[in-house]
Amino acid sequence: MNREDDEDMTAAAPAPDTPADHPSPIGPLSQLIQDALDNGRSLRDLGKAATDPVTGESISWQYFQKLIKNPPASAPNVVTVRAIAAALGKSERRVKEAAADQWLDYRATELVGYGNTARIIMGHVGAMPEQERKRWLAMIEADERARHED
């Protein structure tokens, strides 16, 4: 084997993938926390303000860091959600919606002026395949037209 052959056999290896090459999407609750950090809050600030107004229990700044860097496999409990809401200055409902989206892939829709039955129906319809949703929407629209004709 001569020197020329040796050079042909030693090609540069491709660089390994880095996280920057394939960024992992950040979940909605993690994004709320990141937004607070981007707006000048620190993790320690969040930890100091993270007290559940109902039970008085607090969570640490390290928990906020974990939610951004390496979120746990399960969603936070209701006490933790209230503490996060207090720290972020967001409503409990907003933090619950973000947690449901991040851990359950569930997006809540606000219905104002309807009872819980309508909310359940709309949640059910939203999870249907497209063809089924169209059928239900047509039935709802037909009902609305009939009410207005009377």
Side-chain angles (χ1 to χ4, degrees):
M1 179 183 284
N2 63 32
R3 183 170 184 237
E4 198 171 78
D5 291 336
D6 194 6
E7 286 178 348
D8 288 340
M9 296 177 65
T10 57
D17 287 344
T18 63
D21 294 336
H22 302 287
S24 61
I26 187 168
L29 181 57
S30 299
Q31 187 61 57
L32 283 178
I33 296 163
Q34 185 61 56
D35 291 346
L37 297 176
D38 292 345
N39 287 318
R41 305 279 308 271
S42 72
L43 290 170
R44 291 190 191 277
D45 291 338
L46 294 176
K48 288 177 188 171
T51 301
D52 173 19
V54 175
T55 65
E57 290 185 45
S58 296
I59 57 174
S60 69
W61 67 267
Q62 290 96 336
Y63 186 76
F64 287 98
Q65 183 178 39
K66 184 177 184 180
L67 285 173
I68 293 172
K69 302 276 186 201
N70 188 19
S74 59
N77 64 36
V78 70
V79 171
T80 303
V81 165
R82 288 191 301 248
I84 292 169
L88 296 175
K90 304 280 184 193
S91 71
E92 179 182 341
R93 176 182 214 115
R94 177 67 186 101
V95 174
K96 281 181 178 178
E97 288 171 354
D101 192 354
Q102 183 163 333
W103 276 273
L104 303 174
D105 195 27
Y106 177 82
R107 283 149 205 93
T109 302
E110 180 67 26
L111 295 173
V112 179
Y114 297 94
N116 285 335
T117 302
R119 292 172 200 264
I120 292 167
I121 291 169
M122 293 308 292
H124 179 70
V125 169
M128 290 180 175
E130 181 65 25
Q131 194 61 30
E132 286 292 306
R133 265 197 311 270
K134 287 179 181 178
R135 193 174 124 248
W136 274 84
L137 181 58
M139 288 188 293
I140 293 168
E141 289 172 346
D143 180 66
E144 279 296 309
R145 280 192 304 274
R147 287 179 194 218
H148 285 88
E149 290 173 0
D150 289 339

